[in-house]
Amino acid sequence: MTIKDVARYCGVSVSTVSRVLNNHPDVSKQVRARVQEAIATLHYVPNKSARDLVAAPMNAIGVVIRGSGNPFFTPIINAMDEEADKHDCTLISELISDRDNEISAAAEFVRSKRLKGIIFLGGRFDYTQDEIASIGVPFVCCTFDNQFGDLDESSFSSVSIDDAAEALKATEFLLEHGHRKIAILLDSVDSNSVGALRYSGYCAALKDAGVPVDCDLVVQTGGFSMSSAYDETLALLGRRPDVSAIFSISDSMAVAAMKAISDLGRRVPEDVSVIAIDGIESSLYTVPTLTTLCQPQQTFGKTAVQVLMGVLNDGAQNEHLRLETTLRVGGTVGSR
Amino acid sequence: MTIKDVARYCGVSVSTVSRVLNNHPDVSKQVRARVQEAIATLHYVPNKSARDLVAAPMNAIGVVIRGSGNPFFTPIINAMDEEADKHDCTLISELISDRDNEISAAAEFVRSKRLKGIIFLGGRFDYTQDEIASIGVPFVCCTFDNQFGDLDESSFSSVSIDDAAEALKATEFLLEHGHRKIAILLDSVDSNSVGALRYSGYCAALKDAGVPVDCDLVVQTGGFSMSSAYDETLALLGRRPDVSAIFSISDSMAVAAMKAISDLGRRVPEDVSVIAIDGIESSLYTVPTLTTLCQPQQTFGKTAVQVLMGVLNDGAQNEHLRLETTLRVGGTVGSR
DNA sequence: ATGAAAGCGCTAACAT
DNA sequence: ATGTTAGCGCTTTCAT
């Protein structure tokens, strides 16, 4: 069932069918009606790939998302959608799995949809100048930057927080509340990723306070799953009952940690305090409410699009924006 | 930058380039190397739309997902991926937004990717025979069925739970624990959707127990958001302090309800009991653990693919499978 | 207002 | 082993 079949069916040319398909004006009322009826009865649906190939050079940008289920991304994506609309621009999203390479995914995406630009949501921090060359359009890293790669600053944009500085803030908050035995819950200290950055902030805060880093309190879960965060917190509290506070690099891991603390018969924050970074929706509903440094999720989405549109339409330079978090004081940090 | 450019660049024909692109054997070592080098230096990336158009008639099925951020879907999608692999079949996923029509999205999707079949994850319960005609390939509704539409049973498959029966079970569980003032937290009673189905099970259970349905205890939030569930629970407990238990039609709404209960200075389960249906990961980490009827998420994904493959490859009939939930006894239901 | 024809980028016969 | 050619389904000049 192609456009040809429809054309043949009602005895017109394919161009006529194409015209009614695309709402072009110069088609007689009768013919238009006839074609539309044919389309309906034949259940004809145009082939998007064929359309994309010919490509009305639309105004479209894409977002490549790694980790569909990540609740942290949801508000960001919504904000992107909204902002793209304001710029009369279509935002097309492409989901990739953990094993996919976001660079090649983006390159393919750009070609097949003729995208003007790309936003990455959840990507590596260590791209090389060589590998990004395949992308071919301006791009912006959203919620991360290229701290471990060799990318030229002027060759791309980013919108993110200063992970080390924010982790330092979080740790300082605990220190200010009198905590000294502060554990950190993270994926890995040498992941070339957010874990490493936030770990450095944690270390810096301790150092500033004259507290030595205790390896035993550095809990590496090997990922961001709640189950491993739970297990590792259980283990931590087992071997080190003296821990008085935990800094988790993500909200969801903090939620799992809180459960582990509770399951051991300890209380948050009376026995163990918890602080994190993220500000995902569900961390509002823990009891007590999670104290966390909220990342500006909507602003991330909005700004990422704005920066991209600036480069695309106004010939602006690439830029690297660092947004700040907002401390949300919940009830998970107590004083010592 | 197209395949032609690459061909011209290294003085070969496009077919030769195409051959190395697709790893065809009959290309000399030297030429292959030369082409690969050209591809690398030119940063050439094939156009997926063009490829899809010519279509190696691959073995691919698609899943149309409404609600990217839905944590309930994550394990289901992973299971689908795995199962598709086992059948030497590629699963391609397509995200759609709330305002999109999943039927037309699927129809387009099928055409452009030449899909053999489709799975719907999160769709309407009231399709008409006419509108599904455009899909053109076998499809299966995953986690829902067509209870409010007029679809012929033999024209599609479904894998779901019996929503009314499960809601009845949940409500009965509360009744068995001595509760009589049982509120229900749902999106809407007449949504032509899961809310309506589970509401009917709730009513049936009350009726069986001789407990009249109290309209005041039917809390309609107009959606599935945590924030409205929180607000409405606050309102409920304000106007009806005698409520002793809440049946929430989803885990995430239950989590929000628990927070509302706690914020009012009441305790779960001593003052108010909570039960739900879903079994999402995060409901394992509430304190106390949410008591809920866990839907068989992995089995949903796996079975949906199996059913589709059966229809596709083995000429099996369409079927409508009803899976059962598993009661997970957490700590949110107490006795009266 | 309508049709004919070229071509988007690619793959796959079919030559050679 | 490599090149030539005919489409895939569609949009879009350019005629008429």
Side-chain angles (χ1 to χ4, degrees):
Chain A
M1 179 56 44
T2 76
I3 197 173
K4 270 187 188 168
D5 300 309
V6 180
R8 197 173 311 128
Y9 181 86
C10 38
V12 299
S13 73
V14 292
S15 6
T16 301
V17 178
S18 176
R19 283 188 188 100
V20 349
L21 242 30
N22 296 282
N23 287 314
H24 286 300
D26 42 356
V27 180
S28 77
K29 255 201 144 86
Q30 310 89 287
V31 173
R32 182 181 300 273
R34 198 143 47 90
V35 171
Q36 275 164 340
E37 204 187 302
I39 289 175
T41 68
L42 294 178
H43 301 297
Y44 164 73
V45 178
N47 184 319
K48 196 68 171 40
S49 289
R51 282 187 147 170
D52 285 338
L53 197 54
V54 214
M58 265 223 318
N59 208 26
I61 60 176
V63 52
V64 173
I65 307 162
R66 147 160 291 132
S68 62
N70 193 333
F72 179 62
F73 291 164
T74 312
I76 300 180
I77 298 169
N78 291 338
M80 285 182 186
D81 244 317
E82 224 171 87
E83 188 63 23
D85 261 2
K86 282 188 198 159
H87 293 262
D88 284 315
C89 178
T90 313
L91 178 74
I92 313 184
S93 35
E94 166 92 342
L95 239 62
I96 61 170
S97 74
D98 292 327
R99 52 187 180 288
D100 292 329
N101 175 335
E102 68 261 27
I103 301 287
S104 34
E108 264 196 6
F109 196 26
V110 167
R111 301 313 186 275
S112 33
K113 302 288 182 185
R114 285 182 150 69
L115 304 174
K116 296 269 207 310
I118 279 282
I119 300 175
F120 288 103
L121 202 47
R124 282 168 36 220
F125 291 48
D126 54 1
Y127 301 138
T128 60
Q129 198 69 42
D130 186 59
E131 62 182 320
I132 66 151
S134 67
I135 299 180
V137 296
F139 68 94
V140 14
C141 298
C142 185
T143 75
F144 68 105
D145 201 348
N146 190 54
Q147 290 95 341
F148 301 102
D150 69 357
L151 257 43
D152 190 324
E153 278 213 353
S154 66
S155 59
F156 74 109
S157 291
S158 72
V159 183
S160 64
I161 60 169
D162 183 333
D163 286 288
E166 301 294 346
L168 183 139
K169 273 194 219 167
T171 312
E172 272 179 348
F173 188 78
L174 295 172
L175 288 162
E176 285 160 10
H177 282 73
H179 295 281
R180 288 298 174 271
K181 302 287 176 63
I182 301 176
I184 179 170
L185 187 59
L186 42 42
D187 56 335
S188 159
V189 297
D190 50 20
S191 51
N192 265 207
S193 176
V194 64
L197 294 170
R198 295 189 184 171
Y199 177 64
S200 74
Y202 162 82
C203 293
L206 292 185
K207 192 179 173 199
D208 288 352
V211 179
V213 174
D214 183 342
C215 288
D216 208 26
L217 300 183
V218 177
V219 183
Q220 303 184 61
T221 62
F224 295 89
S225 82
M226 296 182 85
S227 67
S228 54
Y230 176 86
D231 292 341
E232 292 301 325
T233 304
L234 238 39
L236 167 73
L237 263 37
R239 70 171 180 269
R240 292 295 298 264
D242 59 322
V243 168
S244 82
I246 299 177
F247 162 47
S248 165
I249 67 161
S250 82
D251 276 13
S252 60
M253 290 167 82
V255 170
M258 286 171 66
K259 178 67 170 177
I261 295 166
S262 161
D263 281 357
L264 289 172
R266 315 264 231 101
R267 287 164 312 164
V268 177
E270 292 83 351
D271 302 318
V272 184
S273 289
V274 177
I275 193 169
I277 298 182
D278 269 355
I280 60 174
E281 185 185 24
S282 66
S283 73
L284 265 172
Y285 297 97
T286 58
V287 179
T289 303
L290 181 64
T291 295
T292 196
L293 296 179
C294 296
Q295 298 200 53
Q297 299 177 79
Q298 357 268 351
T299 312
F300 268 149
K302 184 175 169 163
T303 312
V305 172
Q306 284 173 344
V307 168
L308 189 55
M309 298 314 287
V311 175
L312 253 25
N313 301 334
D314 314 335
Q317 297 291 310
N318 273 305
E319 49 183 332
H320 296 266
L321 265 40
R322 286 283 182 280
L323 306 184
E324 304 234 321
T325 63
T326 312
L327 172 66
R328 182 183 75 208
V329 178
T332 59
V333 174
S335 294
R336 269 299 149 90
Chain B
M1 178 55 45
T2 76
I3 197 172
K4 270 187 186 167
D5 300 309
V6 180
R8 196 174 311 128
Y9 181 86
C10 38
V12 299
S13 73
V14 292
S15 15
T16 301
V17 178
S18 176
R19 284 188 187 100
V20 349
L21 243 31
N22 296 283
N23 287 314
H24 286 299
D26 41 358
V27 181
S28 76
K29 255 201 146 88
Q30 310 89 289
V31 173
R32 183 181 300 273
R34 197 142 49 88
V35 171
Q36 275 164 341
E37 205 187 303
I39 289 174
T41 67
L42 294 178
H43 301 297
Y44 165 73
V45 177
N47 184 320
K48 195 68 169 42
S49 289
R51 280 187 150 170
D52 285 339
L53 197 54
V54 247
M58 263 224 318
N59 208 24
I61 60 176
V63 51
V64 173
I65 307 162
R66 148 161 290 132
S68 62
N70 193 335
F72 179 62
F73 291 162
T74 312
I76 299 180
I77 299 169
N78 292 338
M80 285 181 186
D81 244 316
E82 223 170 88
E83 188 63 23
D85 261 1
K86 282 188 198 159
H87 292 262
D88 284 315
C89 178
T90 312
L91 179 74
I92 313 183
S93 35
E94 165 94 340
L95 236 63
I96 62 170
S97 73
D98 292 327
R99 53 186 180 289
D100 292 329
N101 175 336
E102 69 262 26
I103 300 287
S104 33
E108 265 195 6
F109 196 25
V110 167
R111 301 315 185 273
S112 35
K113 303 286 183 186
R114 284 183 153 71
L115 305 175
K116 296 271 207 312
I118 279 282
I119 300 174
F120 288 102
L121 203 47
R124 283 167 36 219
F125 292 47
D126 54 0
Y127 302 138
T128 61
Q129 197 70 41
D130 186 59
E131 62 181 321
I132 66 151
S134 66
I135 299 180
V137 296
F139 69 94
V140 14
C141 299
C142 185
T143 76
F144 68 104
D145 200 348
N146 189 56
Q147 290 94 342
F148 300 101
D150 69 358
L151 256 43
D152 191 322
E153 277 214 351
S154 66
S155 57
F156 74 108
S157 292
S158 72
V159 183
S160 63
I161 60 168
D162 183 333
D163 287 287
E166 301 295 346
L168 182 138
K169 274 194 217 165
T171 311
E172 272 178 348
F173 189 79
L174 294 173
L175 287 163
E176 284 161 10
H177 281 73
H179 295 281
R180 287 299 175 270
K181 300 290 177 61
I182 302 176
I184 179 170
L185 187 58
L186 42 43
D187 57 334
S188 159
V189 297
D190 49 22
S191 50
N192 265 207
S193 176
V194 64
L197 294 171
R198 296 189 184 169
Y199 177 64
S200 75
Y202 161 83
C203 292
L206 292 185
K207 192 179 171 199
D208 288 352
V211 178
V213 174
D214 182 343
C215 289
D216 208 25
L217 299 182
V218 177
V219 182
Q220 303 183 61
T221 62
F224 295 88
S225 82
M226 296 183 85
S227 67
S228 55
Y230 176 85
D231 292 342
E232 292 301 326
T233 303
L234 237 40
L236 167 72
L237 263 36
R239 69 171 181 270
R240 292 294 298 264
D242 58 323
V243 168
S244 82
I246 299 177
F247 162 46
S248 165
I249 67 160
S250 84
D251 275 13
S252 60
M253 290 168 82
V255 170
M258 285 171 66
K259 177 66 169 177
I261 294 166
S262 160
D263 282 356
L264 289 173
R266 317 266 239 67
R267 286 163 312 164
V268 177
E270 292 82 352
D271 301 318
V272 183
S273 290
V274 177
I275 194 169
I277 299 182
D278 268 356
I280 61 174
E281 184 185 23
S282 65
S283 74
L284 265 173
Y285 298 96
T286 57
V287 178
T289 303
L290 181 64
T291 294
T292 195
L293 296 178
C294 296
Q295 298 199 53
Q297 299 177 81
Q298 357 268 351
T299 311
F300 268 148
K302 184 176 170 165
T303 311
V305 172
Q306 285 173 344
V307 168
L308 189 54
M309 299 314 286
V311 175
L312 253 27
N313 301 334
D314 314 333
Q317 296 292 308
N318 274 305
E319 47 183 332
H320 296 267
L321 264 41
R322 285 285 183 278
L323 307 184
E324 302 234 324
T325 62
T326 313
L327 172 66
R328 182 182 76 208
V329 177
T332 58
V333 174
S335 294
R336 269 301 149 89

